[in-house]
Amino acid sequence: MSEFDLINQYFKTASVKRKDVVLGIGDDCALLSPPPGKQLAVSTDTLISGVHFPENTKPEDIGYKSLAVNLSDLAAMGAEPAWVSLAISLPEVNETWLEGFMSGFSELAQQYNVSLIGGDTTRGPLSVTVSITGFVSAGAALRRDAAKAGDYIYVTGSLGDARLGLEAILNNTVIDNDVQFCINRLNRPEARVLAGRLLSELTDITAIDISDGLLADLSHICEASKTGASIELQSLPLSTQLRRVYQQQPEWEKVLSAGDDYELCFCCSPGQESAVLETFKAHDIVLNKIGVITESKGIQCVQADGSLLEIDHQGYNHFQSE
Ligand code: ADP
Ligand code: MG
């Protein structure tokens, strides 16, 4: 099978049709018609086999996750997803693998009406790079640099599940229903696109998606906003499945540095809080207040008895040891 047969068979046919795609896969470039008056939000993420997913991950899950992590970046800006390109490096042409990959990818693309508008196909170690583009009204994007002392800190959903799932896979532990839930959270993260878009309709919201762990990602907000933060460990949202596995005794360092959950962490002023809570309640999105933005720098983690937890490992950093 030639490169071009492969593109025609697996990538061209998979695409969602959108009116704003003037020319999709097949020419030297795609031609796109952005909606007048909107800003484009653009993001790229690479998933490498053995680094971003265990080598035995199912192709369906790799396809799903490669799009999900990009959707999560748009969610964190409050943007509406529209177009993706896919650069894929494959060790060999394995049609069963490709079919699986595209079924996971397309399932999510259809759910969000995202059109695959082009890409690149090469031979090499398995790696997937997705670039996504979305739309956001001018001035409405949820940036990282807008937090102010006194803002409340919220997170959607629950934290730490994906990390537990990853550990279970790497350590070959027994997989019961609770662990399976965590593995699903790892392989099929739910990008918080709706939450992001709802927040973008409010003012004075600062947001980030939690890809490298709460502490690491919240510290990006703090650095960009020149603030610090204080979080209450007891308020961190843990799934009932994770609590059962931890037997009610959460390992806070792990929860704080757990990557791959793709929940949103955002800050809002006390004056905005009721609007935020109403909006999220109306859409049934799980939300928890975990702390407050402070003037003094650094992140404090307050334990149930009021004492501070000492932590050193902040999150995943690809170049940490260099
Ligand atoms: P060129 O050599 O002009 O860069 P290619 O031969 O790489 O073009 O690709 C041909 C067409 O197929 C282009 O429209 C490109 O965007 C598309 N394409 C290639 N690989 C992929 C892929 N993995 N997913 C989606 N579209 C792809
Ligand atoms: Mg090319």
Side-chain angles (χ1 to χ4, degrees):
M1 177 174 256
S2 78
E3 178 191 334
F4 303 102
D5 293 339
L6 201 149
I7 292 168
N8 283 331
Q9 184 160 342
Y10 292 103
F11 304 125
K12 199 167 180 176
T13 52
S15 191
V16 169
K17 304 267 176 292
R18 289 177 58 105
K19 284 207 187 83
D20 53 15
V21 179
V22 180
L23 191 59
I25 293 171
D27 213 313
D28 296 308
C29 291
L31 294 175
L32 307 164
S33 283
K38 294 275 183 171
Q39 292 179 341
L40 299 182
V42 184
S43 178
T44 302
D45 261 310
T46 295
L47 299 188
I48 297 171
S49 180
V51 178
H52 299 93
F53 54 86
E55 272 157 21
N56 58 0
T57 305
K58 284 196 299 192
E60 288 82 355
D61 290 337
I62 301 171
Y64 189 100
K65 187 166 182 175
S66 66
L67 181 52
V69 300
N70 276 270
L71 287 167
S72 178
D73 281 321
L74 285 191
M77 292 306 273
E80 176 193 348
W83 311 314
V84 270
S85 70
L86 168 65
I88 191 163
S89 156
L90 301 166
E92 61 187 346
V93 177
N94 174 337
E95 295 196 47
T96 315
W97 190 94
L98 271 166
E99 256 164 45
F101 176 87
M102 281 315 288
S103 86
F105 186 95
S106 301
E107 181 186 333
L108 200 53
Q110 268 153 23
Q111 189 184 327
Y112 285 97
N113 192 32
V114 170
S115 186
L116 177 62
I117 48 101
D120 201 19
T121 307
T122 51
R123 189 183 287 263
L126 179 59
S127 136
V128 180
T129 299
V130 172
S131 292
I132 194 160
T133 302
F135 311 137
V136 64
S137 300
L142 307 170
R143 299 170 51 140
R144 297 179 180 189
D145 57 2
K148 290 176 291 297
D151 280 2
Y152 298 140
I153 306 167
Y154 277 91
V155 291
T156 58
S158 59
L159 300 175
D161 302 321
R163 166 161 186 165
L164 192 133
L166 178 63
E167 282 179 356
I169 292 171
L170 296 179
N171 300 335
N172 260 317
T173 53
V174 179
I175 297 176
D176 61 11
N177 287 344
D178 292 334
V179 174
Q180 188 59 53
F181 165 86
C182 293
I183 292 176
N184 291 348
R185 291 267 291 152
L186 172 75
N187 288 333
R188 301 225 160 193
E190 183 194 341
R192 293 289 182 174
V193 175
L194 175 62
R197 295 197 60 200
L198 294 169
L199 289 170
S200 77
E201 285 163 18
L202 305 171
T203 49
D204 285 340
I205 307 282
T206 309
I208 194 164
D209 64 326
I210 305 176
S211 53
D212 296 331
L214 175 67
L215 277 190
D217 291 313
L218 180 57
S219 75
H220 295 319
I221 286 187
C222 290
E223 275 155 32
S225 302
K226 303 189 172 62
T227 62
S230 173
I231 56 181
E232 304 276 344
L233 296 182
Q234 293 305 309
S235 306
L236 297 183
L238 305 182
S239 64
T240 48
Q241 290 86 348
L242 190 81
R243 281 183 195 277
R244 275 199 295 260
V245 177
Y246 281 156
Q247 296 176 331
Q248 311 298 331
Q249 201 48 259
E251 296 175 54
W252 291 120
E253 279 94 341
K254 283 193 180 178
V255 175
L256 289 164
S257 64
D260 266 357
D261 283 319
Y262 297 98
E263 296 293 349
L264 288 189
C265 172
F266 68 88
C267 312
C268 71
S269 64
Q272 279 281 32
E273 187 177 41
S274 59
V276 167
L277 293 178
E278 258 172 52
T279 308
F280 276 67
K281 196 164 174 219
H283 289 86
D284 234 359
I285 302 171
V286 175
L287 192 61
N288 279 281
K289 191 200 287 196
I290 60 160
V292 65
I293 294 290
T294 57
E295 228 160 87
S296 60
K297 303 282 160 65
I299 300 179
Q300 285 193 336
C301 300
V302 185
Q303 306 185 87
D305 63 2
S307 64
L308 298 183
L309 180 75
E310 297 287 335
I311 15 161
D312 40 48
H313 182 72
Q314 288 226 325
Y316 195 75
N317 175 343
H318 285 273
F319 298 104
Q320 201 132 45
S321 60
E322 288 176 23

